[in-house]
Amino acid sequence: MTGAGSPGLKAPFRPETDPGPELATMHDAVRTAAVAAVLGAGDREPALDHVARVATLALPAIAAVISTERAGGEVYKAWWGIPEPLAARRTVPLLESLTRGVLREGRVLAVTDTGATGNALAHAFDWAAWLGAPLRLGDVTVGALWVADGARRNWSERDVALLEGLGATAVQILLALADRHTAGVRLRDHSARYEALSADLSAGVWCVDLDVPVATSLTPADQAAHILEHARLAECNEAFAHALARTFPEDLLGARFTALFDGAGTSVRTALTDFVRNGYSLPRVRLPAPSGARAVRDWTWGLEGVVDAGRLVRVWGVVRWPTDAATGQAAAAATGVAAAGQKADALGRLAAGVAHEFNNVLTTIRGRAELALRDSGSEPWAADLVEIRQASDRAVALTRQLYAFGREHEPSPELMRPDRTAAGVDTVLQHLAGDRVTAFRTDWAPDTGPVFADVGGFERALVHLVSWLRDAAPAGGQLRLWTANERLTGSEAAELGIAPGPCVVMAVTHSLLRLDADTIARIVEPEFSPRGVGGSEGLVAALAYARRSQGNVRITSDEHGTTIALVFPRRAQVPGRKAVAGDDAPAATGGGETVLVVEDQESVRGVARRTLLLQGYNVMEAENAEVALELAAAYVGRIHVLLTDVMMPGLSGTELAQRIGEIRPDARIVLMSGFAGDLRPTVEAQPGAAFLE
């Protein structure tokens, strides 16, 4: 192995007024970090692939790679002529890599005979000679460009100069990519700042883009007409959306400018003409409120235009509406209700995300405990492992509840016992009721029948009911959860919209709440908010869930308190559903079949790998769907089973299953998740697939 010098790259551009060595060093550090981020990113870069291809033609060589070091390994960013198994792998331990010296020492290295080095990787792919050059940014080595040939070879000075020149080209490409990356980060930062600044404003903030920018040389009247015809809403904050009776800002995006003003009337055209005449700025103008707006009196608008190269391309605006007692309070209340709903939705997504990540940790803990128990025999510490496994099971159950409460999902109805499902979350519901109630009680009927409903939606409905009763009732009293079997008569069934016959009731009662008949009749209207009771969004959600499950909500109130009951038809079985194998079936063992395991969490993947190996299976593993597809295409043997997580970066597990089914139609598909309820619709729609919870 011999070394060669490497010419330095041209110094970065400096302004005539030198900002000083500290700022210059900081600038270099930022650029270097941005280049390293681009080079170390997981996606393949076509522009760098082109450099690798040119390297194989210019030297010539059979293969070329642009790579970097990450987490103790060599990671390929671009390549040409690399065999598929290695390209699919993309990561090589640094100890096995010929590139180690280039990355660590920052100099050109040449190998005339790889056989003399004993390198297994070179031997496996018939690389007889190897040449590598560092990719340098100032004094920092950020990566390497190397080529391999199929015959022994004495690399010439021309070869070294060509490779270094191509390396310099690769660095320039990386700098351009880094600039694009930095610009994207800045754009996202500016967007985040805009959202943060505008989200809590009581005024509406909006922006329209012009499909066809308008030339500023046109007359003001023509420009006003052009704006009305070609402008569409590109951004707005929550306050603006709520003022126009929309739940989310996204509901308005893409709307024509005329819709914001409720048509292109004379007053709007006049205002836009004045806006153009005033240098594309109009600080204050009163215009009629759009029809359907929450505040119906005139709104005050402010407009500012963005002109680029003699063309108007964008218009920003601020709008304020009346704040008197008659209209302002109603608008503020509507805005507050919608904002509270969005905050609750955001908290739900956060809870679901935490639950998913925590479940991965629990999977590792429980899996390792199971594996250790297999090897423990009669060791005295085996009892501790059993305790760890049982504690993990309890934590998994709580995590599943957190996930169900925090995430909207596709309904997946099944036969369930309401009492057992409610008993599984009663501790959580008791914490939810908190110190607003003096006593919390549960009464489950001993023979509660099964119903056909979605378990996650059922748990969320209970959360809605308990939360609403907690907030609506005076402090103190008793909150009671109970179930019962009933038989609906013709009149009751007609009132609830349920077929006459046996039904199951899941009810929540608060002993101190009293509601009159008018309130009960209107309480599930989306915008009804009786004085002293609060909004009914939770009740509306519970009602929608019950009706999706062929049931309904029944509300009663008397001297004993107020009861809100979910009423479902009682079901003995689900017609047409195939029987599912029982839990007593013997555990399957392998006979050398190959399983491709796809899981982005390394710890979870490790548990799956070892468990399958102990069962007698051959295991291939991939950290994401892209690597799995490359392995599936390159592997020459049969892949019997794809075992994949559902929620992964990039392609999801369900998308991967569809792609694998196209290239490996004989492979069985097993989708795994800590929360299998989300998988049932997908699994049932895909022949031969199953889920593992």
Side-chain angles (χ1 to χ4, degrees):
M1 183 177 288
T2 61
S6 176
L9 296 176
K10 186 177 180 180
F13 170 76
R14 301 276 189 229
E16 292 185 8
T17 303
D18 193 340
E22 286 189 15
L23 189 57
T25 302
M26 184 184 300
H27 181 265
D28 286 347
V30 170
R31 295 174 81 231
T32 302
V35 167
V38 171
L39 191 55
D43 52 331
R44 189 175 178 182
E45 180 51 57
L48 294 177
D49 277 346
H50 184 69
V51 174
R53 180 169 184 264
V54 171
T56 62
L57 297 173
L59 273 101
I62 62 172
V65 168
I66 294 175
S67 61
T68 190
E69 180 183 351
R70 186 178 65 198
E74 181 188 0
V75 180
Y76 297 172
K77 179 65 175 180
W79 60 87
W80 198 265
I82 296 297
E84 280 299 325
L86 183 57
R89 186 177 178 185
R90 292 189 61 178
T91 301
V92 177
L94 211 57
L95 290 175
E96 300 176 13
S97 171
L98 289 166
T99 325
R100 181 184 183 190
V102 177
L103 293 171
R104 292 290 174 86
E105 300 173 23
R107 61 188 179 91
V108 173
L109 293 177
V111 179
T112 60
D113 181 6
T114 60
T117 67
N119 185 272
L121 197 64
H123 176 73
F125 296 106
D126 294 325
W127 295 336
W130 185 93
L131 178 66
L135 304 182
R136 298 180 62 82
L137 195 60
D139 296 329
V140 180
T141 299
V142 294
L145 167 61
W146 56 264
V147 295
D149 208 353
R152 297 178 185 177
R153 176 170 174 178
N154 291 318
W155 301 98
S156 66
E157 291 184 3
R158 171 188 172 278
D159 295 332
V160 172
L162 278 172
L163 195 64
E164 288 184 321
L166 289 169
T169 300
V171 169
Q172 296 305 315
I173 293 174
L174 283 167
L175 284 170
L177 294 172
D179 288 341
R180 186 177 68 183
H181 170 79
T182 303
V185 170
R186 288 174 179 167
L187 178 60
R188 289 191 296 273
D189 179 59
H190 289 321
S191 298
R193 289 174 62 192
Y194 158 75
E195 291 178 5
L197 289 172
S198 65
D200 293 330
L201 288 176
S202 58
V205 179
W206 52 267
C207 170
V208 293
D209 285 341
L210 294 171
D211 296 337
V212 180
V214 57
T216 57
S217 58
L218 296 176
T219 67
D222 287 343
Q223 292 187 52
H226 189 100
I227 294 170
L228 288 170
E229 181 179 357
H230 294 285
R232 291 182 180 274
L233 190 70
E235 295 184 52
C236 71
N237 67 348
E238 292 180 4
F240 186 71
H242 300 156
L244 287 175
R246 303 299 200 279
T247 304
F248 304 106
E250 291 78 8
D251 297 336
L252 284 171
L253 300 187
R256 288 194 173 276
F257 195 40
T258 52
L260 307 184
F261 293 94
D262 202 28
T266 304
S267 58
V268 176
R269 288 181 178 272
T270 301
L272 288 177
T273 302
D274 292 341
F275 160 72
V276 174
R277 285 177 177 155
N278 201 42
Y280 304 99
S281 177
L282 194 62
R284 185 181 181 88
V285 60
R286 291 177 68 87
L287 293 171
S291 60
R294 297 191 184 276
V296 297
R297 294 172 55 203
D298 288 354
W299 289 6
T300 301
W301 300 76
L303 307 176
E304 290 290 334
V306 178
V307 177
D308 180 28
R311 299 183 304 169
L312 178 69
V313 296
R314 185 172 298 112
V315 179
W316 283 89
V318 177
V319 61
R320 292 177 174 83
W321 34 83
T323 56
D324 57 54
T327 58
Q329 290 179 1
T335 300
V337 167
Q342 282 197 301
K343 289 178 180 177
D345 184 62
L347 287 174
R349 289 195 299 268
L350 174 62
V354 171
H356 183 265
E357 293 304 316
F358 189 49
N359 189 72
N360 284 335
V361 176
L362 291 172
T363 299
T364 303
I365 294 172
R366 193 188 190 287
R368 293 295 180 184
E370 284 281 2
L371 293 171
L373 274 172
R374 292 174 59 104
D375 303 330
S376 63
S378 59
E379 295 289 345
W381 40 263
D384 294 333
L385 293 174
V386 173
E387 288 291 333
I388 292 173
R389 182 178 62 183
Q390 292 174 348
S392 299
D393 289 340
R394 291 193 294 272
V396 167
L398 289 173
T399 305
R400 183 177 292 109
Q401 293 163 17
L402 177 63
Y403 187 80
F405 296 158
R407 182 178 183 271
E408 292 288 353
H409 62 284
E410 285 296 322
S412 179
E414 59 182 279
L415 278 180
M416 56 162 276
R417 288 275 301 272
D419 56 335
R420 294 179 182 175
T421 302
V425 297
D426 59 0
T427 302
V428 176
L429 296 174
Q430 183 173 1
H431 285 296
L432 184 63
D435 57 6
R436 285 280 300 174
V437 299
T438 304
F440 183 91
R441 178 182 167 190
T442 58
D443 291 319
W444 312 125
D447 58 344
T448 304
V451 302
F452 188 58
D454 172 56
V455 173
F458 181 83
E459 292 172 337
R460 291 174 67 91
L462 287 181
V463 169
H464 286 310
L465 298 185
V466 170
S467 298
W468 190 87
L469 285 169
R470 175 201 62 194
D471 296 337
Q478 181 189 85
L479 190 68
R480 174 173 168 251
L481 274 68
W482 53 277
T483 59
N485 293 307
E486 295 184 4
R487 177 172 289 276
L488 291 178
T489 63
S491 59
E492 289 178 302
E495 185 177 350
L496 291 172
I498 302 175
C503 69
V504 177
V505 174
M506 174 71 239
V508 186
T509 300
H510 198 295
S511 62
L512 298 185
L513 182 62
R514 306 287 188 272
L515 300 178
D516 57 39
D518 181 64
T519 298
I520 292 176
R522 298 183 57 200
I523 202 167
V524 293
E525 296 177 8
E527 296 185 3
F528 181 59
S529 182
R531 178 173 299 185
V533 175
S536 55
E537 296 82 11
L539 294 185
V540 173
L543 173 64
Y545 165 75
R547 288 178 174 171
R548 284 199 307 269
S549 304
Q550 288 76 52
N552 212 327
V553 171
R554 182 174 65 196
I555 303 174
T556 57
S557 188
D558 55 27
E559 68 275 9
H560 301 295
T562 295
T563 297
I564 305 178
L566 303 174
V567 184
F568 304 97
R570 182 167 177 164
R571 301 290 182 89
Q573 62 182 5
V574 181
R577 182 173 292 276
K578 296 180 180 179
V580 179
D583 295 334
D584 297 331
T589 56
E593 294 88 349
T594 298
V595 180
L596 174 56
V597 178
V598 190
E599 164 62 57
D600 60 307
Q601 296 288 332
E602 185 176 358
S603 58
V604 178
R605 196 168 66 245
V607 171
R609 176 184 64 245
R610 187 176 172 198
T611 302
L612 289 168
L613 288 173
L614 289 172
Q615 293 292 332
Y617 294 98
N618 293 324
V619 179
M620 294 193 301
E621 55 182 298
E623 64 269 25
N624 56 49
E626 288 73 17
V627 173
L629 288 169
E630 293 174 341
L631 283 173
Y635 185 63
V636 295
R638 179 184 174 187
I639 298 176
H640 296 81
V641 177
L642 168 70
L643 175 62
T644 177
D645 189 14
V646 176
M647 298 178 64
M648 297 185 296
L651 290 177
S652 68
T654 53
E655 292 170 325
L656 171 63
Q658 294 174 352
R659 298 275 293 275
I660 289 290
E662 296 171 0
I663 60 177
R664 295 278 182 167
D666 57 341
R668 298 296 300 272
I669 307 297
V670 179
L671 302 170
M672 59 180 175
S673 172
F675 312 102
D678 294 337
L679 306 182
R680 290 189 176 93
T682 301
V683 172
E684 292 171 358
Q686 185 165 344
F691 65 77
L692 180 65
E693 184 177 12

PDB file of all heavy atoms in Angstrom, residues 196-216:
ATOM      1  N   ALA A 196     -45.298  30.356  14.089  1.00  0.00           N
ATOM      2  CA  ALA A 196     -45.257  30.688  15.506  1.00  0.00           C
ATOM      3  C   ALA A 196     -45.764  32.098  15.764  1.00  0.00           C
ATOM      4  O   ALA A 196     -46.464  32.353  16.747  1.00  0.00           O
ATOM      5  CB  ALA A 196     -43.823  30.540  16.033  1.00  0.00           C
ATOM      6  N   LEU A 197     -45.411  33.036  14.872  1.00  0.00           N
ATOM      7  CA  LEU A 197     -45.819  34.426  15.072  1.00  0.00           C
ATOM      8  C   LEU A 197     -47.287  34.650  14.767  1.00  0.00           C
ATOM      9  O   LEU A 197     -47.946  35.480  15.384  1.00  0.00           O
ATOM     10  CB  LEU A 197     -44.966  35.350  14.187  1.00  0.00           C
ATOM     11  CG  LEU A 197     -43.496  35.498  14.611  1.00  0.00           C
ATOM     12  CD1 LEU A 197     -42.726  36.265  13.545  1.00  0.00           C
ATOM     13  CD2 LEU A 197     -43.381  36.210  15.949  1.00  0.00           C
ATOM     14  N   SER A 198     -47.809  33.891  13.781  1.00  0.00           N
ATOM     15  CA  SER A 198     -49.184  34.150  13.353  1.00  0.00           C
ATOM     16  C   SER A 198     -50.217  33.281  14.046  1.00  0.00           C
ATOM     17  O   SER A 198     -51.396  33.608  14.042  1.00  0.00           O
ATOM     18  CB  SER A 198     -49.305  33.934  11.829  1.00  0.00           C
ATOM     19  OG  SER A 198     -49.073  32.577  11.504  1.00  0.00           O
ATOM     20  N   ALA A 199     -49.762  32.158  14.656  1.00  0.00           N
ATOM     21  CA  ALA A 199     -50.735  31.205  15.200  1.00  0.00           C
ATOM     22  C   ALA A 199     -51.585  31.811  16.308  1.00  0.00           C
ATOM     23  O   ALA A 199     -52.780  31.540  16.409  1.00  0.00           O
ATOM     24  CB  ALA A 199     -50.001  29.966  15.721  1.00  0.00           C
ATOM     25  N   ASP A 200     -50.979  32.642  17.168  1.00  0.00           N
ATOM     26  CA  ASP A 200     -51.706  33.172  18.314  1.00  0.00           C
ATOM     27  C   ASP A 200     -52.259  34.572  18.087  1.00  0.00           C
ATOM     28  O   ASP A 200     -52.776  35.198  19.012  1.00  0.00           O
ATOM     29  CB  ASP A 200     -50.794  33.179  19.547  1.00  0.00           C
ATOM     30  CG  ASP A 200     -50.443  31.767  19.992  1.00  0.00           C
ATOM     31  OD1 ASP A 200     -51.274  30.883  19.771  1.00  0.00           O
ATOM     32  OD2 ASP A 200     -49.353  31.568  20.542  1.00  0.00           O
ATOM     33  N   LEU A 201     -52.120  35.115  16.859  1.00  0.00           N
ATOM     34  CA  LEU A 201     -52.662  36.443  16.602  1.00  0.00           C
ATOM     35  C   LEU A 201     -54.183  36.397  16.578  1.00  0.00           C
ATOM     36  O   LEU A 201     -54.781  35.463  16.036  1.00  0.00           O
ATOM     37  CB  LEU A 201     -52.154  36.961  15.253  1.00  0.00           C
ATOM     38  CG  LEU A 201     -50.673  37.360  15.179  1.00  0.00           C
ATOM     39  CD1 LEU A 201     -50.330  37.760  13.760  1.00  0.00           C
ATOM     40  CD2 LEU A 201     -50.369  38.508  16.131  1.00  0.00           C
ATOM     41  N   SER A 202     -54.803  37.403  17.172  1.00  0.00           N
ATOM     42  CA  SER A 202     -56.264  37.478  17.088  1.00  0.00           C
ATOM     43  C   SER A 202     -56.699  37.930  15.700  1.00  0.00           C
ATOM     44  O   SER A 202     -57.816  37.665  15.272  1.00  0.00           O
ATOM     45  CB  SER A 202     -56.794  38.437  18.152  1.00  0.00           C
ATOM     46  OG  SER A 202     -56.223  39.728  17.982  1.00  0.00           O
ATOM     47  N   ALA A 203     -55.808  38.651  14.974  1.00  0.00           N
ATOM     48  CA  ALA A 203     -56.112  39.078  13.607  1.00  0.00           C
ATOM     49  C   ALA A 203     -55.845  37.937  12.632  1.00  0.00           C
ATOM     50  O   ALA A 203     -55.062  37.030  12.895  1.00  0.00           O
ATOM     51  CB  ALA A 203     -55.261  40.294  13.237  1.00  0.00           C
ATOM     52  N   GLY A 204     -56.527  37.983  11.489  1.00  0.00           N
ATOM     53  CA  GLY A 204     -56.289  36.999  10.448  1.00  0.00           C
ATOM     54  C   GLY A 204     -55.101  37.391   9.586  1.00  0.00           C
ATOM     55  O   GLY A 204     -54.979  38.547   9.175  1.00  0.00           O
ATOM     56  N   VAL A 205     -54.213  36.440   9.310  1.00  0.00           N
ATOM     57  CA  VAL A 205     -53.060  36.664   8.436  1.00  0.00           C
ATOM     58  C   VAL A 205     -53.179  35.703   7.265  1.00  0.00           C
ATOM     59  O   VAL A 205     -53.445  34.514   7.458  1.00  0.00           O
ATOM     60  CB  VAL A 205     -51.732  36.441   9.186  1.00  0.00           C
ATOM     61  CG1 VAL A 205     -50.549  36.649   8.252  1.00  0.00           C
ATOM     62  CG2 VAL A 205     -51.627  37.372  10.385  1.00  0.00           C
ATOM     63  N   TRP A 206     -52.996  36.210   6.039  1.00  0.00           N
ATOM     64  CA  TRP A 206     -53.137  35.367   4.865  1.00  0.00           C
ATOM     65  C   TRP A 206     -52.186  35.814   3.770  1.00  0.00           C
ATOM     66  O   TRP A 206     -51.609  36.904   3.825  1.00  0.00           O
ATOM     67  CB  TRP A 206     -54.583  35.386   4.348  1.00  0.00           C
ATOM     68  CG  TRP A 206     -55.139  36.758   4.126  1.00  0.00           C
ATOM     69  CD1 TRP A 206     -55.855  37.508   5.008  1.00  0.00           C
ATOM     70  CD2 TRP A 206     -54.987  37.572   2.948  1.00  0.00           C
ATOM     71  NE1 TRP A 206     -56.178  38.727   4.464  1.00  0.00           N
ATOM     72  CE2 TRP A 206     -55.655  38.789   3.199  1.00  0.00           C
ATOM     73  CE3 TRP A 206     -54.368  37.381   1.722  1.00  0.00           C
ATOM     74  CZ2 TRP A 206     -55.711  39.811   2.254  1.00  0.00           C
ATOM     75  CZ3 TRP A 206     -54.428  38.401   0.787  1.00  0.00           C
ATOM     76  CH2 TRP A 206     -55.091  39.600   1.049  1.00  0.00           C
ATOM     77  N   CYS A 207     -52.012  34.961   2.786  1.00  0.00           N
ATOM     78  CA  CYS A 207     -51.143  35.264   1.645  1.00  0.00           C
ATOM     79  C   CYS A 207     -51.731  34.603   0.407  1.00  0.00           C
ATOM     80  O   CYS A 207     -52.141  33.435   0.464  1.00  0.00           O
ATOM     81  CB  CYS A 207     -49.729  34.750   1.904  1.00  0.00           C
ATOM     82  SG  CYS A 207     -48.633  34.807   0.475  1.00  0.00           S
ATOM     83  N   VAL A 208     -51.779  35.348  -0.713  1.00  0.00           N
ATOM     84  CA  VAL A 208     -52.211  34.769  -1.982  1.00  0.00           C
ATOM     85  C   VAL A 208     -51.066  34.834  -2.979  1.00  0.00           C
ATOM     86  O   VAL A 208     -50.290  35.795  -2.996  1.00  0.00           O
ATOM     87  CB  VAL A 208     -53.453  35.493  -2.561  1.00  0.00           C
ATOM     88  CG1 VAL A 208     -54.663  35.270  -1.683  1.00  0.00           C
ATOM     89  CG2 VAL A 208     -53.196  36.969  -2.761  1.00  0.00           C
ATOM     90  N   ASP A 209     -50.922  33.767  -3.773  1.00  0.00           N
ATOM     91  CA  ASP A 209     -49.969  33.737  -4.884  1.00  0.00           C
ATOM     92  C   ASP A 209     -50.740  33.879  -6.190  1.00  0.00           C
ATOM     93  O   ASP A 209     -51.909  33.451  -6.288  1.00  0.00           O
ATOM     94  CB  ASP A 209     -49.187  32.419  -4.901  1.00  0.00           C
ATOM     95  CG  ASP A 209     -48.133  32.377  -3.810  1.00  0.00           C
ATOM     96  OD1 ASP A 209     -47.765  33.454  -3.309  1.00  0.00           O
ATOM     97  OD2 ASP A 209     -47.699  31.270  -3.458  1.00  0.00           O
ATOM     98  N   LEU A 210     -50.078  34.448  -7.191  1.00  0.00           N
ATOM     99  CA  LEU A 210     -50.708  34.633  -8.495  1.00  0.00           C
ATOM    100  C   LEU A 210     -50.299  33.498  -9.424  1.00  0.00           C
ATOM    101  O   LEU A 210     -49.105  33.242  -9.631  1.00  0.00           O
ATOM    102  CB  LEU A 210     -50.292  35.972  -9.097  1.00  0.00           C
ATOM    103  CG  LEU A 210     -50.783  37.209  -8.329  1.00  0.00           C
ATOM    104  CD1 LEU A 210     -50.143  38.467  -8.864  1.00  0.00           C
ATOM    105  CD2 LEU A 210     -52.293  37.308  -8.405  1.00  0.00           C
ATOM    106  N   ASP A 211     -51.293  32.790  -9.961  1.00  0.00           N
ATOM    107  CA  ASP A 211     -50.994  31.733 -10.939  1.00  0.00           C
ATOM    108  C   ASP A 211     -50.173  32.303 -12.096  1.00  0.00           C
ATOM    109  O   ASP A 211     -49.233  31.671 -12.575  1.00  0.00           O
ATOM    110  CB  ASP A 211     -52.301  31.136 -11.487  1.00  0.00           C
ATOM    111  CG  ASP A 211     -53.108  30.449 -10.408  1.00  0.00           C
ATOM    112  OD1 ASP A 211     -52.508  30.061  -9.391  1.00  0.00           O
ATOM    113  OD2 ASP A 211     -54.330  30.305 -10.584  1.00  0.00           O
ATOM    114  N   VAL A 212     -50.557  33.479 -12.550  1.00  0.00           N
ATOM    115  CA  VAL A 212     -49.840  34.201 -13.602  1.00  0.00           C
ATOM    116  C   VAL A 212     -49.486  35.579 -13.040  1.00  0.00           C
ATOM    117  O   VAL A 212     -50.372  36.404 -12.844  1.00  0.00           O
ATOM    118  CB  VAL A 212     -50.705  34.356 -14.875  1.00  0.00           C
ATOM    119  CG1 VAL A 212     -49.915  35.103 -15.946  1.00  0.00           C
ATOM    120  CG2 VAL A 212     -51.182  32.998 -15.377  1.00  0.00           C
ATOM    121  N   PRO A 213     -48.191  35.828 -12.710  1.00  0.00           N
ATOM    122  CA  PRO A 213     -47.826  37.142 -12.152  1.00  0.00           C
ATOM    123  C   PRO A 213     -48.271  38.271 -13.077  1.00  0.00           C
ATOM    124  O   PRO A 213     -48.280  38.137 -14.302  1.00  0.00           O
ATOM    125  CB  PRO A 213     -46.298  37.056 -12.051  1.00  0.00           C
ATOM    126  CG  PRO A 213     -46.010  35.595 -11.939  1.00  0.00           C
ATOM    127  CD  PRO A 213     -47.035  34.916 -12.788  1.00  0.00           C
ATOM    128  N   VAL A 214     -48.634  39.398 -12.483  1.00  0.00           N
ATOM    129  CA  VAL A 214     -49.173  40.515 -13.252  1.00  0.00           C
ATOM    130  C   VAL A 214     -48.080  41.557 -13.472  1.00  0.00           C
ATOM    131  O   VAL A 214     -47.345  41.912 -12.544  1.00  0.00           O
ATOM    132  CB  VAL A 214     -50.400  41.130 -12.542  1.00  0.00           C
ATOM    133  CG1 VAL A 214     -50.051  41.570 -11.133  1.00  0.00           C
ATOM    134  CG2 VAL A 214     -50.963  42.299 -13.338  1.00  0.00           C
ATOM    135  N   ALA A 215     -47.967  42.019 -14.703  1.00  0.00           N
ATOM    136  CA  ALA A 215     -46.975  43.042 -15.030  1.00  0.00           C
ATOM    137  C   ALA A 215     -47.364  44.369 -14.408  1.00  0.00           C
ATOM    138  O   ALA A 215     -48.521  44.810 -14.524  1.00  0.00           O
ATOM    139  CB  ALA A 215     -46.835  43.180 -16.546  1.00  0.00           C
ATOM    140  N   THR A 216     -46.410  45.024 -13.767  1.00  0.00           N
ATOM    141  CA  THR A 216     -46.693  46.309 -13.119  1.00  0.00           C
ATOM    142  C   THR A 216     -46.878  47.435 -14.133  1.00  0.00           C
ATOM    143  O   THR A 216     -47.276  48.540 -13.758  1.00  0.00           O
ATOM    144  CB  THR A 216     -45.556  46.670 -12.159  1.00  0.00           C
ATOM    145  OG1 THR A 216     -44.320  46.698 -12.882  1.00  0.00           O
ATOM    146  CG2 THR A 216     -45.447  45.654 -11.032  1.00  0.00           C
TER     147      THR A 216
END
